[in-house]
């Protein structure tokens, strides 16, 4: 039997470890992520953010520990409930913007042609690329590719969205737009897991996990994490450093 | 039921190639250029070209089919789109079949061009039925495409893939009876030839084109090619890793 709390959890990670050959990428990692929020996974390069997301979307299998998505053991049948935006753009360069999004719409079983066309237009307007729909991917800037990639990840309206550093290379205005949109998705019950290494993004999340060397060194709301430092006006940046130092003391 | 994801992937590959006009043009023109060069360099007496033509048709089909698919599949891996697909509801067999369908159209177009050009423009003689030659070539292509996908799973980048081309293609040209009969080689090499698909492609196509045999009469070669194609695509679908990085 699932306990009452699991029902409300979008994601439950229990004591998960993962190694690439000899390299320990994640060790004994546990997280409980409620539904309908934006959850930030914050940490420097190499902390294990991408590895964690790959495990959650089923691209990697953990050696130890347990992962549950929407209260269930993840299976291939659940793949359509997941939207995944990888860290690299991962688009078909020869195809147009609209063709890329349309391909993923088809893959995620949006069968009806007119409905699909409507949905593709909707997401492309959302990421502000409708006017560029017929351009090849090669003609786009980095930020635009990032937006196409996001469009591909959300085209099928998944209840779980995994975004690996989605705001890298975006200007502040677009970044704000992205977060505005994520909040809209949250209000419709979508759970979003966002990885980032900048504290700008962290402030937008409902909850955060600070990740370092494959371990969660702190978890909570941005406010809780700042207050934990003991300084009344601490920034998230300072909070992160505070937890890094505390972790160092524990190790010693 | 028809695997609909495979058709979606095939459709995407079709769009990718057709939108890239230069690639599309090269796919159509290069086979003609290559065939013309070979024709020009061959002595015109004693029906030498007639003898070698079936072997060349089979070799070019394997060569182009292998290259086209192998490189494209590798790009899918290095661009990260394969990983993205692997996280979607698409199965591994959808991917392998999708590639097969997608590239089959272009490989087939190449084969048709080479065949008609060889027969009607270069005036190479043949005795068998045209449609039987065709059906046989289609099987050779399916082998080549599967081989391309299979080999590309061993390469991590374009440089490595390029190294596989001579490794896979050249020995086949020398060992599979294209230039001299397999029986003239040492026993050890004859054994190696037994495991290379081109051996059966060359043997079968020659019997159809030169001796006018039917598909049923070359059933052994045909059977081996089918077994090879099915076997290798099963292995590929099985060994495709979910994550591109590991
Ligand atoms: N495919 C891989 N093979 C071997 N090591 C890897 C691979 N991917 C990541 N790593 C290593 O695992 C650790 C975590 O990497 P990653 O999850 O990509 O971190 P992040 O996304 O936080 O930058 C790093 O030390 C990285 O070098
Ligand atoms: Mg990363």
């Amino acid at each position: 039997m699932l306990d009452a709390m699991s029902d409300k959890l979008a994601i439950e990670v229990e004591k998960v470890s993962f190694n690439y050959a000899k390299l320990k990428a994640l060790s004994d990692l546990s997280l409980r992520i409620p539904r309908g929020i934006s959850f930030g996974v914050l940490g420097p390069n190499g902390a294990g953010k991408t590895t964690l997301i790959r495990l959650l979307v089923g691209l990697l299998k953990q050696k130890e520990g347990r992962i549950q998505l929407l209260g269930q053991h993840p299976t291939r049948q659940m793949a359509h409930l997941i939207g995944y935006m990888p860290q690299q753009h991962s688009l078909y360069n020869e195809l147009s913007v609209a063709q890329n999004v349309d391909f993923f719409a088809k893959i995620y079983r949006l069968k009806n042609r007119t409905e699909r066309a409507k949905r593709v237009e909707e997401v492309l307007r959302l990421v502000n690329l409708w006017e560029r729909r017929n351009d090849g991917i090669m003609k786009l800037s980095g930020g635009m590719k990032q937006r196409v990639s996001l469009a591909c990840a959300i085209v099928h309206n998944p209840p779980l969205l995994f975004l690996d550093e989605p705001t890298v290379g975006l200007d502040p205005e677009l970044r704000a737009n992205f977060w505005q949109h994520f909040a809209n998705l949250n209000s419709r019950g979508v759970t979003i897991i966002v990885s980032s290494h900048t504290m700008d993004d962290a402030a937008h999340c409902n909850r955060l996990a600070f990740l370092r060397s494959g371990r969660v060194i702190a978890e909570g709301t941005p406010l809780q994490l700042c207050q934990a430092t003991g300084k009344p006006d601490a920034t998230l940046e300072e909070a992160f450093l505070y937890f890094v130092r505390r972790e160092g003391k524990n190790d010693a | 039921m028809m695997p609909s994801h495979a058709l979606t992937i095939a459709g995407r590959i079709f769009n990718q190639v057709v939108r890239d006009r230069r690639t599309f043009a090269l796919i159509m023109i290069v086979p003609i250029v290559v065939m013309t060069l070979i024709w020009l360099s061959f002595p015109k007496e004693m029906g030498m070209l007639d003898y070698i033509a079936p072997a060349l048709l089979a070799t070019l089909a394997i060569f182009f089919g292998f290259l086209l698919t192998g490189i494209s599949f590798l790009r899918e891996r290095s661009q990260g789109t394969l990983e993205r697909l692997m996280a979607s509801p698409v199965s591994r067999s959808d991917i392998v079949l999708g590639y097969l369908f997608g590239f089959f159209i272009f490989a087939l177009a190449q084969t048709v061009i080479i065949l008609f050009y060889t027969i009607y423009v270069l005036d190479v003689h043949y005795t068998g039925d045209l449609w039987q030659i065709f059906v046989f070539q289609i099987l050779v292509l399916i082998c080549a495409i599967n081989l391309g996908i299979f080999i590309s799973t061993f390469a991590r980048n374009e440089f490595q893939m390029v190294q596989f081309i001579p490794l896979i293609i050249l020995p086949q040209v020398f060992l599979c009876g294209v230039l001299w009969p397999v029986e003239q080689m040492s026993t050890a090499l004859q054994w190696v030839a037994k495991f290379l698909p081109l051996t059966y492609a060359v043997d079968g196509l020659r019997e159809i084109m030169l001796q006018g045999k039917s598909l049923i009469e070359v059933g052994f070669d045909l059977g081996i090619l089918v077994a090879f194609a099915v076997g290798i695509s099963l292995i590929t679908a099985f060994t495709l890793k979910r994550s591109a990085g590991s």
Side-chain angles (χ1 to χ4, degrees):
Chain A
M1 272 298 290
L2 299 167
D3 55 287
M5 187 62 193
S6 306
D7 276 351
K8 307 234 166 39
L9 289 179
I11 295 165
E12 206 181 349
V13 178
E14 233 184 275
K15 298 195 162 110
V16 163
S17 299
F18 185 84
N19 296 359
Y20 292 103
K22 282 204 183 106
L23 192 136
K24 207 165 180 86
L26 296 177
S27 42
D28 210 23
L29 189 142
S30 298
L31 283 176
R32 289 158 78 85
I33 303 176
R35 295 191 191 191
I37 67 162
S38 287
F39 188 92
V41 178
L42 268 285
N45 277 323
K49 305 180 294 292
T50 298
T51 307
L52 175 62
I53 289 182
R54 279 189 178 147
L55 278 163
L56 292 173
V57 300
L59 285 167
L60 298 174
K61 264 261 140 338
Q62 71 272 20
K63 280 245 171 51
E64 292 157 44
R66 192 179 70 126
I67 289 176
Q68 298 233 299
L69 300 182
L70 302 170
Q72 291 178 48
H73 177 73
T75 57
R76 292 297 299 151
Q77 280 69 46
M78 288 179 77
H80 66 281
L81 302 176
I82 289 175
Y84 171 46
M85 177 178 170
Q87 190 168 357
Q88 41 168 161
H89 307 306
S90 307
L91 298 167
Y92 299 99
N93 288 330
E94 300 83 3
L95 298 183
S96 70
V97 169
Q99 281 175 324
N100 267 284
V101 182
D102 187 61
F103 172 69
F104 284 99
K106 278 186 197 152
I107 287 291
Y108 284 95
R109 302 185 189 136
L110 287 160
K111 288 249 168 63
N112 183 300
R113 186 184 282 265
T114 43
E115 258 173 52
R116 201 172 64 234
K118 241 173 74 188
R119 179 63 189 154
V120 170
E121 175 170 350
E122 205 173 87
V123 286
L124 282 180
R125 286 195 187 281
L126 196 82
V127 297
N128 219 342
L129 281 173
W130 177 245
E131 275 70 41
R132 305 293 300 267
R133 64 188 175 278
N134 293 322
D135 283 358
I137 297 296
M138 299 288 249
K139 288 191 194 155
L140 304 182
S141 70
M144 290 174 183
K145 287 181 192 168
Q146 201 83 334
R147 279 139 68 194
V148 181
S149 188
L150 178 70
C152 293
I154 61 175
V155 70
H156 58 298
N157 278 320
L160 282 179
L161 198 50
F162 297 90
L163 310 173
D164 201 350
E165 307 216 14
T167 57
V168 170
L170 293 186
D171 54 64
E173 194 188 338
L174 268 170
R175 199 181 275 242
N177 283 351
F178 262 43
W179 280 108
Q180 177 61 51
H181 177 58
F182 296 161
N184 286 344
L185 288 175
N186 286 151
S187 68
R188 280 190 260 147
V190 177
T191 312
I192 306 179
I193 287 71
V194 186
S195 81
S196 175
H197 63 262
T198 66
M199 297 298 157
D200 289 3
D201 287 328
H204 291 280
C205 297
N206 305 97
R207 291 188 76 82
L208 293 173
F210 286 159
L211 201 65
R212 188 163 174 274
S213 308
R215 287 170 203 273
V216 176
I217 55 170
E219 203 254 301
T221 65
L223 189 65
Q224 287 169 340
L225 293 173
C226 291
Q227 285 174 344
T229 60
K231 280 198 287 177
D233 56 349
T235 61
L236 278 165
E237 201 113 7
E238 288 165 329
F240 186 81
L241 293 173
Y242 166 80
F243 285 108
V244 169
R245 265 184 240 118
R246 206 186 63 172
E247 181 83 357
K249 277 190 205 124
N250 287 352
D251 285 350
Chain B
M1 227 200 81
M2 198 65 183
S4 64
H5 286 321
L7 292 183
T8 304
I9 293 171
R12 187 209 81 214
I13 290 169
F14 185 83
N15 286 336
Q16 273 178 291
V17 176
V18 175
R19 261 184 77 97
D20 182 357
R21 296 226 182 93
R22 187 192 291 246
T23 301
F24 185 62
L26 283 173
I27 285 178
M28 298 300 138
I29 293 164
V30 165
I32 294 184
V33 175
V34 171
M35 210 57 204
T36 309
L37 287 176
I38 294 173
W39 177 75
L40 285 174
S41 65
F42 250 78
K44 299 287 172 302
E45 65 270 18
M46 299 181 304
M48 270 271 271
L49 194 59
D50 290 353
Y51 175 75
I52 212 95
L56 279 178
L57 290 175
T59 309
L60 289 180
I62 291 234
F63 188 59
F64 287 130
F66 173 77
L67 269 186
L68 208 57
T69 337
I71 301 270
S72 311
F73 201 73
L74 185 75
R75 287 192 55 215
E76 177 113 38
R77 185 186 298 278
S78 56
Q79 285 179 345
T81 46
L82 183 65
E83 182 171 278
R84 194 167 203 163
L85 274 186
M86 291 289 213
S88 80
V90 166
S91 74
R92 288 178 264 200
S93 50
D94 284 326
I95 295 177
V96 175
L97 275 179
Y99 260 77
L100 182 59
F101 296 153
F103 279 106
F104 183 69
I105 303 165
F106 298 102
L108 187 66
Q110 285 192 324
T111 299
V112 172
I113 292 171
I114 298 185
L115 192 62
F116 280 97
Y117 186 74
T118 309
I119 291 172
Y120 295 110
V121 181
L122 303 184
D123 205 23
V124 166
H125 301 283
Y126 70 101
T127 40
D129 267 334
L130 198 54
W131 74 266
Q132 302 203 29
I133 296 173
F134 229 48
V135 172
F136 194 87
Q137 277 290 69
I138 285 174
L139 259 164
V140 176
L141 282 179
I142 294 176
C143 268
I145 291 172
N146 283 320
L147 193 64
I149 302 177
F150 179 65
I151 295 301
S152 74
T153 62
F154 292 101
R156 286 285 162 269
N157 55 47
E158 278 80 357
F159 294 122
Q160 293 177 13
M161 187 65 195
V162 169
Q163 298 310 311
F164 279 118
I165 297 165
L167 190 69
I168 302 296
I169 300 295
L170 274 184
Q172 295 206 65
V173 172
F174 290 111
L175 296 178
C176 297
V178 177
L179 303 170
W180 47 79
V182 173
E183 295 74 36
Q184 285 181 11
M185 302 187 303
S186 71
T187 333
L189 287 182
Q190 287 191 34
W191 264 99
V192 176
K194 276 193 175 62
F195 292 95
L196 302 174
L198 188 58
T199 306
Y200 306 94
V202 168
D203 188 60
L205 208 56
R206 239 183 213 143
E207 291 186 345
I208 297 178
M209 286 183 75
L210 296 180
Q211 300 164 26
K213 285 191 180 175
S214 70
L215 283 174
I216 296 168
E217 286 171 295
V218 298
F220 177 72
D221 293 319
L222 216 52
I224 299 262
L225 287 174
V226 172
F228 190 86
V230 172
I232 210 157
S233 55
L234 284 181
I235 298 173
T236 312
F238 207 70
T239 51
L240 257 187
K241 290 215 178 95
R242 286 246 162 262
S243 174
S246 57

